[in-house]
């Protein structure tokens, strides 16, 4: 995998990004955007707040892609947008791996990971384990243990994205399911990438703040960009702002596929599973009975989206049934009965919509008990979530333990107090405990036999993000099991 100066100029010119070309005839053996990863004869993409001196210790850089020329004696291609250039050059450097993959993409404020895992498990069954997954939780590029790693972003930087696609193709993968965040479009991480099918699950305010989207309208606009880059599109007919979303999709596609709870009959919704029947669909393979290895009507909705996605890939009914019956999502709706302390649920729920669905489910499962919540909010991002968490626990919780959740460079107690400022339910009992393990143990200890404890936010994440570092953490589910073992 190499890049020649002729290729670089042709790619940047085709996409109207090139301002000034480098007067050089060269071939580059490597491409990167991180000075710590530089190798010999690297074409380096300069992004963010970068200074020439950063290259002092990066031996091997022989060419640059820049927005503003640097005062350094190296060939430089000046472009209008380095993020777009990075995506295009990464595609080329990794020899366009997306051309060898059938790709399903899913977006939404809540449920992306769940729907992605549903689709992945069904496709994995249908393709004899030749399906890759890029999710908020895991990136899976092959069938072996070493082909699985924890994700650091829902949608990674474009270079990492195409590098992992190349790994998947080299490992024999033929299909890919991936989550696509609004940030992926805002930051041009998926620039010029096209999908065979794109699914839009829902929308509600999230990711609005100084370092993210300035307004909800901007957030929604970036979510809807998925339609512009998908051959086929699927929309939840029950989502908020449906008319706006549908109109955008319809402008680009003759046929827009819709799903809703009207397509199914729920047979049973228990603590550990749900059973339902699909009674109507544009895809005959979907019709029939299913056992879903997760509870809740919101998961049934995600299952419908996933089944429609994989139907476009030709997945048959038997693979759909088996995939949904066996699906396991790390950190999602993990439940553990605690003797004399009710049931604890661990989930990655991290915004108003996902928290509200989770708490409503908890209320429905144990109407005679209390809903006890352990929750925090990340530092230095998603500031709007703090008000949202205060609002949702006010609506649906009886007791809340406010704690730390990836505080980064902020004081977690300050974040907790910001959440508390938006709690307006005088009957809600509020506790502050910044040691997350202690907060979880206290919440379960406080629970009676009919109560449900919701531990939201981190799932099975093995770290806490504190002051720019990943500090080891055993994970919320391990903390719950630890409490049970101590009884």
């Amino acid at each position: 995998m190499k890049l020649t100066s002729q290729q670089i100029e042709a790619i940047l010119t085709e996409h109207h990004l090139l301002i000034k070309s480098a007067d050089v005839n060269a071939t580059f053996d490597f491409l990167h955007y991180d000075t710590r990863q530089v190798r010999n004869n690297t074409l380096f993409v300069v992004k963010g707040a970068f200074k020439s001196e950063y290259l002092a210790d990066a031996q091997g850089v022989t060419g640059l892609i820049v927005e503003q020329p640097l005062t350094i004696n190296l060939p430089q291609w000046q472009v209008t947008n380095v993020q777009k250039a990075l995506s295009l050059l990464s595609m080329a450097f990794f020899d366009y791996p997306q051309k060898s993959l059938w790709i399903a993409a899913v977006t939404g404020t809540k449920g992306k990971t769940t729907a992605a895992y549903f689709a992945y498990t069904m496709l994995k069954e249908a393709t004899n384990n030749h399906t890759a997954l890029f999710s908020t939780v895991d990136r899976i590029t092959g069938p072996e243990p070493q082909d699985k790693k924890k994700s650091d972003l829902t949608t990674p930087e474009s270079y990492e994205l195409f590098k992992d696609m190349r790994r998947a193709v080299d490992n024999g993968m033929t299909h890919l399911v991936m989550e696509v965040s609004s940030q992926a479009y805002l930051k041009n991480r998926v620039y010029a990438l096209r999908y065979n099918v794109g699914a839009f699950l829902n929308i509600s305010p999230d990711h609005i703040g100084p370092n993210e989207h300035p307004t909800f309208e901007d957030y929604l606009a970036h979510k809807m960009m998925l339609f512009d880059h998908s051959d086929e599109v699927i929309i939840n007919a029950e989502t908020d702002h449906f008319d706006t979303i549908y109109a955008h999709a319809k402008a680009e596609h003759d046929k827009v596929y819709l799903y809703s709870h009207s397509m199914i009959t729920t047979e049973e919704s228990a603590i550990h599973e749900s059973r339902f029947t699909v009674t109507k669909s544009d895809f005959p393979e979907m019709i029939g009975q299913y056992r879903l290895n997760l509870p809740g009507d919101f998961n049934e909705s995600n299952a419908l989206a996933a089944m429609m996605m994989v139907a476009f890939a030709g997945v048959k009914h038997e693979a759909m049934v088996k995939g949904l019956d066996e699906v396991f999502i790390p950190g999602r709706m993990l439940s553990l009965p605690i003797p004399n302390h009710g049931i604890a649920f661990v989930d990655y729920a991290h915004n108003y919509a996902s928290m509200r669905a989770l708490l409503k489910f908890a209320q429905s499962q144990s109407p005679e008990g209390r809903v006890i919540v352990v929750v925090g909010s990340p530092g230095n991002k998603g500031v709007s979530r703090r008000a949202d968490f205060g609002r949702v626990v006010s609506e649906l919780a009886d007791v809340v333990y406010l704690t730390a959740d990836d505080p980064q460079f902020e004081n977690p107690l300050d974040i907790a107090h910001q959440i508390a400022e938006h709690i307006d339910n005088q009957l809600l009992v509020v506790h502050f405990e910044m040691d997350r393990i202690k907060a979880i143990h206290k919440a379960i200890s406080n629970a009676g036999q009919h109560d449900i404890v919701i531990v939201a936010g981190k799932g099975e994440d093995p770290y806490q993000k504190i002051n720019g570092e990943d500090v080891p953490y055993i994970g919320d589910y391990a903390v719950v099991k630890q409490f049970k073992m101590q009884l």
Side-chain angles (χ1 to χ4, degrees), residues 81 83-84 87 158 183-191:
N81 189 306
Q83 287 284 164
K84 292 180 178 180
S87 183
S158 57
Q183 291 286 298
Y185 281 111
L186 182 66
K187 304 293 187 182
N188 287 301
R189 294 174 188 152
V190 291
Y191 181 73

Side-chain angles (χ1 to χ4, degrees), residues 22 153 326 335 407 434 483:
L153 292 169
E326 296 178 352
S335 63
M434 296 309 105
F483 180 91

Side-chain angles (χ1 to χ4, degrees), residues 223-235:
K223 283 286 191 191
M224 293 191 297
M225 287 182 183
L226 185 77
F227 300 139
D228 307 333
H229 302 91
S230 299
D231 295 339
E232 306 286 355
V233 294
I234 299 165
I235 301 175

Side-chain angles (χ1 to χ4, degrees), residues 386-387 390-391 394 402 414-424 430 432:
R386 300 171 193 183
R391 184 158 55 104
S394 293
L402 299 176
D414 291 342
I415 297 173
H417 280 293
Q418 289 174 32
I419 296 173
E421 287 174 3
H422 297 276
I423 292 175
D424 57 11
V430 181
F432 294 85

Side-chain angles (χ1 to χ4, degrees), residues 96-359:
Y96 301 97
Q98 71 273 25
K99 292 182 179 180
S100 300
L101 292 166
W102 183 92
I103 305 177
V106 57
T107 197
T109 302
K110 69 170 182 175
K112 290 190 299 297
T113 299
T114 301
Y117 263 90
F118 288 169
Y120 165 71
T121 307
M122 289 184 284
L123 274 170
K124 185 179 170 184
E125 175 67 25
T127 63
N128 193 25
N129 202 13
H130 285 79
T131 299
L133 172 69
F134 298 171
S135 78
T136 302
V137 180
D138 290 319
R139 262 182 276 169
I140 302 172
T141 56
E144 303 300 327
Q146 63 267 25
D147 299 322
K148 179 178 178 179
K149 62 182 177 182
K150 289 294 179 184
S151 299
D152 51 356
L153 292 169
T154 295
T155 312
E157 183 57 85
S158 57
Y159 181 91
E160 313 301 335
L161 181 67
F162 292 108
K163 180 174 71 173
D164 282 345
M165 282 190 190
R166 171 47 55 194
R167 286 175 175 165
V169 172
D170 290 347
N171 284 331
M173 301 297 101
T174 57
H175 293 67
L176 167 65
V177 179
M178 61 181 289
E179 297 180 46
V180 180
S181 65
S182 61
Q183 291 286 298
Y185 281 111
L186 182 66
K187 304 293 187 182
N188 287 301
R189 294 174 188 152
V190 291
Y191 181 73
L193 177 61
R194 193 158 186 87
Y195 318 103
N196 294 86
V197 59
F200 193 108
L201 305 183
N202 48 65
I203 190 76
S204 58
D206 194 23
H207 294 290
I208 299 167
N211 300 319
E212 298 178 280
H213 297 281
T215 63
F216 173 77
E217 289 72 24
D218 184 76
Y219 174 55
L220 175 57
H222 283 89
K223 283 286 191 191
M224 293 191 297
M225 287 182 183
L226 185 77
F227 300 139
D228 307 333
H229 302 91
S230 299
D231 295 339
E232 306 286 355
V233 294
I234 299 165
I235 301 175
N236 180 0
E238 297 168 314
T239 182
D240 291 346
H241 305 279
F242 171 78
D243 291 343
T244 300
I245 295 165
Y246 182 79
H248 186 115
K250 192 63 177 170
E252 296 286 334
H253 298 86
D254 294 333
K255 171 73 173 175
V256 175
Y257 294 83
L258 304 178
Y259 69 94
S260 70
H261 278 93
S262 65
M263 296 167 57
I264 66 172
T265 300
T266 299
E267 314 295 344
E268 180 183 2
S269 183
I271 287 289
H272 304 290
E273 65 179 14
S274 62
R275 296 177 184 271
F276 63 93
T277 301
V278 177
T279 56
K280 57 183 178 180
S281 173
D282 290 315
F283 305 95
E285 293 295 342
M286 289 176 58
I287 304 299
Q289 294 182 321
Y290 296 87
R291 174 194 173 271
L292 181 59
N293 198 27
L294 283 174
D297 57 356
F298 53 95
N299 282 322
E300 293 172 0
S301 177
N302 292 329
L304 284 173
M307 284 189 280
M308 292 179 74
M309 281 194 287
V310 302
F312 279 109
V315 173
K316 302 302 182 184
H317 179 69
E318 293 76 13
M320 294 183 185
V321 170
K322 188 171 182 181
L324 293 181
D325 183 73
E326 296 178 352
V327 66
F328 173 76
I329 308 170
R332 296 284 175 178
M333 290 295 282
L334 301 174
S335 63
L336 193 66
I338 311 292
N340 301 315
H341 295 278
I343 297 175
F345 279 93
V346 173
D347 193 87
Y348 275 116
H350 63 282
N351 55 43
Y352 177 83
S354 55
M355 279 284 287
R356 189 175 191 280
L358 188 57
L359 268 57

